[in-house]
Amino acid sequence: MPNVPITCAQLEDPLEVISSLAALQLRVFNSVSIDRLTYSMEVTPTSKVALITGVTGQTGSILADLLLGLGYEVHGITRGSPSDVPTRLAHIMAGHESMKHRFTLHHCDILDIQAFSEILLATKPAELYNLAAQSSVSVSFKQPHETFRVDGLGVLNVLETVRLFLPTVRVFQASSSEIFGKATTSPQTETTKPHPCSPYANAKLVAHTLARVYREAYNLHVCSGVLYNHESSRRGGNFVTQKIARAAVKISLGLQKTLELGNLDSCRDWGHAKDFADCIWKMMQTDVAEDFIVATGETHTVRDFAKKSFAVVGIEVEFQGTGIHEVGLHSKDGSIIIKVNSNFFRPTEPVHIVGDASKALQKLYWRPSYSVTELVEEMVSAQKKEISKEFELDSLSNLDRPK
């Protein structure tokens, strides 16, 4: 498919972007070879079969674990090389036959509507979880066109394919708390007016709106989960939480001197990806498709997350100064172990982002089970094991720690 950019001017109005994406998608779909899409229009989904896009990501792999544990046959889609075994799925693909034989990995880009349509019709899932996305806010400022193609047009491809070929499948669309950005109310609910402040957030708002449009216009069972920040030991290293957890361990072992961070006052509602996967699945079991906020209702600063992470490895951090001159000091010797780097600041920063998941509690009987402290402990402990293997250490205690 040609790389057709979306102009930055369209970022201001999601409805205009939807119109532009729809026109582009129609041209692309009309160009699909009829021979490759000769299927019966009476396709019936297969019970207990799920299809997950973005399955190699943190949440996709955790969701795959959950569904396999519930007895599903799981099909996952990745853009990765067919010759590679994704790290987050290695335990499944090399695991017990009773689980391994119920998981199939397909290689496809959801921007390739031909390939995606063929996988959808070959697998006939009862549930489709669309988690595929360019999920980095910072990258979206550098690559806004690509972000809109993946997070906007990709979602349109998924929904339009479902409408045309498998309209009875239940669809989950991963939305994001970033759509609220500079919202004037806090905590946010399902009715809070969006105010996105990044290309990523705008693209996610387009996808969120598309999900509602296809639900209302075509009576499709499409629900969106507005996911607040969710982390785990499987989080990618480019995310600030994993960056902090890894640095805490390495600094405690003398393998790194300082950690550079952006805005320490940035607040987020951090939850555990396992809790969020559970809520995502529960959304799909309802007879009426709706949108839900998925959040813990608690907010913490980046500074808080860093202090908790270093505490796990036995280091107390004391912060001094303000703004870009703020530093984190090792309480025992006063050495600087955390610095602020203005290069890590976003061009625009969301305000108080915290979610009210009361609707999920009332209708899905869902509530988070992990505290942020437990989340941090898991992430730091996982980094200890990973760094031990990486540096071939027999014991994490055999390196000198800062005194």
Side-chain angles (χ1 to χ4, degrees), residues 205-349:
L205 180 55
V206 167
H208 184 73
T209 307
L210 279 169
R212 175 181 56 78
V213 168
Y214 271 72
R215 180 173 65 229
E216 295 174 354
Y218 303 115
N219 198 32
L220 298 182
H221 193 287
V222 182
C223 57
S224 284
V226 184
L227 308 179
Y228 281 65
N229 291 65
H230 46 294
E231 317 295 325
S232 74
S233 57
R234 299 186 192 180
R235 182 51 113 179
N238 58 318
F239 287 83
V240 67
T241 49
Q242 194 70 291
K243 177 181 177 181
I244 292 171
R246 183 172 180 80
V249 174
K250 294 185 73 175
I251 289 173
S252 74
L253 298 172
L255 298 173
Q256 181 175 329
K257 290 185 177 180
T258 60
L259 164 64
E260 293 189 350
L261 296 171
N263 185 0
L264 296 177
D265 292 315
S266 180
C267 294
R268 292 294 182 271
D269 183 337
W270 276 299
H272 199 296
K274 287 184 179 179
D275 284 335
F276 281 42
D278 176 58
C279 191
I280 289 169
W281 176 77
K282 287 180 176 177
M283 285 184 218
M284 294 284 268
Q285 310 316 306
T286 61
D287 291 330
V288 178
E290 298 181 74
D291 299 335
F292 289 89
I293 294 285
V294 187
T296 70
E298 298 180 3
T299 185
H300 300 270
T301 63
V302 171
R303 184 186 298 102
D304 293 336
F305 200 98
K307 289 187 72 172
K308 289 178 180 294
S309 297
F310 277 90
V312 175
V313 295
I315 297 176
E316 181 181 353
V317 181
E318 298 176 351
F319 286 91
Q320 294 182 0
T322 59
I324 62 172
H325 302 294
E326 185 172 4
V327 293
L329 306 177
H330 194 303
S331 63
K332 289 187 177 180
D333 61 8
S335 61
I336 296 175
I337 54 177
I338 297 177
K339 296 179 180 180
V340 174
N341 186 335
S342 60
N343 291 326
F344 295 137
F345 280 61
R346 293 185 184 181
T348 55
E349 178 69 33

Side-chain angles (χ1 to χ4, degrees), residues 154-228:
V155 174
L156 186 60
N157 281 353
V158 169
L159 293 173
E160 187 67 359
T161 303
V162 166
R163 181 183 75 84
L164 291 172
F165 296 108
L166 201 63
T168 53
V169 66
R170 295 186 174 189
V171 181
F172 171 80
Q173 171 57 36
S175 188
S176 169
S177 61
E178 291 286 333
I179 67 174
F180 295 124
K182 293 185 179 295
T184 57
T185 59
S186 186
Q188 296 84 41
T189 70
E190 289 79 6
T191 60
T192 299
K193 183 179 179 180
H195 191 152
C197 57
S198 70
Y200 168 78
N202 274 274
K204 278 295 187 178
L205 180 55
V206 167
H208 184 73
T209 307
L210 279 169
R212 175 181 56 78
V213 168
Y214 271 72
R215 180 173 65 229
E216 295 174 354
Y218 303 115
N219 198 32
L220 298 182
H221 193 287
V222 182
C223 57
S224 284
V226 184
L227 308 179
Y228 281 65

Side-chain angles (χ1 to χ4, degrees), residues 58-109:
Q58 169 195 243
T59 310
S61 64
I62 289 174
L63 181 61
D65 287 340
L66 173 64
L67 296 178
L68 288 168
L70 292 170
Y72 280 71
E73 175 186 331
V74 177
H75 295 264
I77 291 179
T78 178
R79 290 191 298 175
S81 169
S83 61
D84 295 335
V85 176
T87 302
R88 296 186 181 99
L89 300 177
H91 65 290
I92 295 176
M93 302 179 76
H96 193 276
E97 287 297 326
S98 63
M99 182 173 291
K100 184 170 61 175
H101 84 277
R102 288 187 285 110
F103 179 80
T104 304
L105 187 61
H106 304 265
H107 298 270
C108 163
D109 189 328

